[in-house]
Amino acid sequence: AVFCSIHPGKPCPQKPLWDIGYTPGKEKPKKGACLEWAEGLAVFLACMIVGAITALNNYKKELQFRALQAKQDDSLTTVWRAGAPTQVSINDICVGDVVQLDTGAKIPADGLIIKCTDLKVDESSLTGESVPVSKNTEEKMFMLSGCSVVEGDARYLVTAVGKNSEWGKIMTELDTERPETPLQIKLAGVAEKIGKFGLVVAVACFFAQTIIWLAEMGGKTCFEQDSQGRITSTEICAATEASCNVSAWKTHYENFHPIQINNIIGFFIDSVTIIVVSIPEGLPLAVTISLAYSVKRMQNDMNLVRHMAACETMGGATNICSDKTGTLTQNLMTVNEGFFGGRFWKELPRRADFEPGYLDTLITSIACNSKGELGKDLPNGRVEMIGNKTECAMLVFLRGLGADYRAERGRVDVARSFPFSSAKKRMSTLVRLPTGGRLYTKGASEIVAATCSSYLAKDGSRQPLDAAMQKEIMEHIEGMAGGGPRAPPPP
């Protein structure tokens, strides 16, 4: 407003190139010409509002991502506390805990091995070496978080957790920014192309306006004169060459005044406006907000979307393959039927259905040849299962027979345990007996059954496994497997 009031000389309005009916001196004065500050204030407020909304949306999106990431990274592991096993979140592991790990488990914290059996660990995430490293309790006893157990089992004492562990130190030094989704990348590319096109148009408009202005500066016009006869910068728009004083009829170059630079500034503002308007910076943000909203909606429907990019293609999905464990099922196992003592039992047998010789062998086989544990009784009538759910289901079956698997493990002298291997598809435990030893084996039904030459009858006697019995066993295995349940091999 101050600038407008002390304007030293206002030039005549330029003739628009598209206005044929333009008449000098007939233009109408602008209303509120001295309120040009309002436009700048409006732009400033608009930028503040857009920035605040963008920051708020990004903040909410970050909170959603953190909640999803925490859910994704969280898992349960078996920990021994006060001499009893329990399942806790990996985020609740403390220094001094004793962690139980089996094949396929991820090491949640650094520690020292207390006991292990044929333990091999994949440390490629830390060292880059693809060959699994054998571990023992003497030389290679260190367990490093972020690695995974590829073979064997172990118990180890936790010595470092969180940021103090080796994996935590690496993660704190890495940039954890999430990559953009494919749709966001495409939209960003489109926005970049539009922005470049807008920049070219803005530069072209700036030079075009400047060239036209420079050309018009060469045209003569009539300037006002003060009382002393000096020529001012104010133009007499309606004057012609005949009505103008000869000394006042000049070009803008001949009567140049710094205020004329204001036109260049106006051209530059117009170019900047073209660039700002042409860049669709809100388009990727709008897509991000919509995807985050879709993730939240699906989470409310009990569908956890770990990667936001999945929502982009969800609408075009025809078949969705989902892990049923924990979603369609409860991740709980129960023994419902089986092949015991040379015959198939549609309903579970009772303790009185077996002779002591067979029953003792069955109890020892299930109790000692497994790593599962049973925890506290739950309010729904079930029992807490710690470890492999199939092994825990067999332990519950032993409880139904009136056997205590912990007492059986304490009574039996285990010489060595051979953990489950994906190559062998079985697990074995060697037990010392007064007469020598006995190897208990469980695993893939058809593989274990194919290696047997005899079986135990329900009275405990050993019977030859002829072709007819072998065929009968395989038919029951295929029948049970066809129905969907797990099918451990008959003892």
Side-chain angles (χ1 to χ4, degrees):
V2 175
F3 173 78
C4 183
S5 63
I6 64 174
H7 202 299
K10 202 168 185 180
C12 292
Q14 297 178 1
K15 178 181 178 180
L17 300 178
W18 58 86
D19 192 355
I20 302 176
Y22 173 78
T23 304
K26 299 293 185 179
E27 65 276 6
K28 295 182 180 179
K30 263 188 182 179
K31 291 184 178 180
C34 294
L35 296 178
E36 295 180 355
W37 58 270
E39 181 179 354
L41 179 62
V43 173
F44 175 77
L45 292 178
C47 293
M48 292 294 295
I49 293 174
V50 172
I53 295 176
T54 302
L56 180 61
N57 288 329
N58 288 339
Y59 175 72
K60 290 184 177 179
K61 183 184 69 173
E62 185 66 23
L63 291 181
Q64 292 178 349
F65 272 122
R66 288 185 180 183
L68 291 175
Q69 191 69 26
K71 190 71 175 178
Q72 175 182 353
D73 296 338
D74 192 15
S75 61
L76 297 178
T77 187
T78 303
V79 175
W80 287 78
R81 292 178 177 174
T86 182
Q87 284 192 317
V88 300
S89 169
I90 59 175
N91 299 321
D92 296 332
I93 294 178
C94 303
V95 175
D97 284 338
V98 176
V99 179
Q100 173 76 42
L101 295 178
D102 295 320
T103 302
K106 189 173 182 179
I107 302 175
D110 295 353
L112 298 174
I113 298 175
I114 299 175
K115 59 181 295 187
C116 64
T117 304
D118 297 336
L119 181 63
K120 290 185 178 181
V121 177
D122 180 12
E123 296 184 349
S124 58
S125 58
L126 293 179
T127 63
E129 296 293 337
S130 59
V131 180
V133 179
S134 299
K135 298 287 185 176
N136 52 53
T137 57
E138 297 177 357
E139 297 178 356
K140 299 180 179 180
M141 63 181 69
F142 293 99
M143 301 286 278
L144 302 177
S145 59
C147 305
S148 58
V149 178
V150 296
E151 187 176 334
D153 58 78
R155 289 186 189 179
Y156 76 98
L157 177 67
V158 176
T159 58
V161 297
K163 295 182 179 180
N164 297 321
S165 64
E166 292 297 324
W167 183 254
K169 293 177 182 178
I170 294 176
M171 295 303 295
T172 53
E173 297 177 358
L174 294 178
D175 184 11
T176 58
E177 290 185 2
R178 285 172 294 272
E180 293 183 337
T181 64
L183 181 59
Q184 287 176 320
I185 295 175
K186 292 181 180 179
L187 291 178
V190 172
E192 183 180 357
K193 292 179 181 178
I194 296 176
K196 291 180 179 179
F197 178 76
L199 178 61
V200 173
V201 172
V203 172
C205 289
F206 176 79
F207 282 107
Q209 287 180 299
T210 303
I211 292 173
I212 294 174
W213 176 71
L214 292 175
E216 292 181 350
M217 288 277 288
K220 290 187 176 182
T221 186
C222 186
F223 293 93
E224 290 184 359
Q225 291 177 306
D226 58 12
S227 57
Q228 299 178 1
R230 290 178 299 186
I231 300 175
T232 65
S233 61
T234 304
E235 301 178 44
I236 303 175
C237 300
T240 61
E241 183 178 1
S243 62
C244 182
N245 193 331
V246 177
S247 60
W249 185 256
K250 296 179 177 295
T251 64
H252 286 276
Y253 294 115
E254 296 172 340
N255 187 33
F256 184 79
H257 195 277
I259 193 60
Q260 296 171 352
I261 302 299
N262 188 41
N263 292 310
I264 300 294
I265 298 176
F267 302 156
F268 177 76
I269 293 176
D270 293 341
S271 301
V272 172
T273 303
I274 294 175
I275 295 175
V276 172
V277 173
S278 64
I279 298 177
E281 59 181 7
L283 184 59
L285 176 62
V287 174
T288 302
I289 294 174
S290 63
L291 292 178
Y293 177 75
S294 301
V295 171
K296 191 66 176 177
R297 285 289 302 272
M298 295 187 70
Q299 186 177 2
N300 294 335
D301 294 336
M302 306 303 293
N303 293 319
L304 179 62
V305 180
R306 295 186 175 181
H307 302 286
M308 192 173 66
C311 293
E312 299 176 359
T313 55
M314 191 63 70
T318 55
N319 296 305
I320 299 177
C321 301
S322 174
D323 178 16
K324 64 182 180 61
T325 304
T327 54
L328 303 179
T329 61
Q330 299 179 2
N331 196 21
L332 296 174
M333 294 286 183
T334 304
V335 179
N336 294 322
E337 56 188 20
F339 194 91
F340 302 97
R343 55 163 290 196
F344 179 75
W345 300 76
K346 190 65 177 177
E347 295 182 357
L348 290 183
R350 295 170 296 178
R351 187 183 184 94
D353 295 328
F354 302 119
E355 298 294 332
Y358 179 85
L359 188 62
D360 292 342
T361 303
L362 178 64
I363 293 175
T364 304
S365 174
I366 296 176
C368 298
N369 193 29
S370 66
K371 299 293 183 180
E373 295 282 348
L374 299 181
K376 59 184 179 180
D377 294 331
L378 301 178
N380 57 3
R382 291 184 173 273
V383 62
E384 182 184 12
M385 295 184 176
I386 303 174
N388 184 277
K389 297 301 183 289
T390 303
E391 293 183 348
C392 292
M394 299 297 292
L395 297 180
V396 173
F397 169 65
L398 285 189
R399 176 184 288 189
L401 295 177
D404 185 356
Y405 75 94
R406 288 193 178 94
E408 185 67 19
R409 290 177 180 176
R411 183 186 66 84
V412 175
D413 183 11
V414 177
R416 184 177 178 183
S417 178
F418 301 90
F420 179 84
S421 170
S422 58
K424 299 178 181 178
K425 291 183 172 52
R426 59 180 179 266
M427 172 185 177
S428 303
T429 300
L430 181 61
V431 176
R432 292 189 180 93
L433 297 176
T435 57
R438 177 176 292 173
L439 185 69
Y440 295 97
T441 300
K442 73 170 189 292
S445 307
E446 63 279 3
I447 294 179
V448 176
T451 60
C452 296
S453 59
S454 60
Y455 71 95
L456 288 181
K458 67 176 183 178
D459 58 356
S461 61
R462 178 180 296 180
Q463 303 294 332
L465 186 62
D466 53 15
M469 179 59 70
Q470 182 82 18
K471 181 180 178 181
E472 181 182 355
I473 292 176
M474 295 303 297
E475 288 177 352
H476 286 299
I477 291 176
E478 294 175 359
M480 287 188 288
R486 299 285 179 87

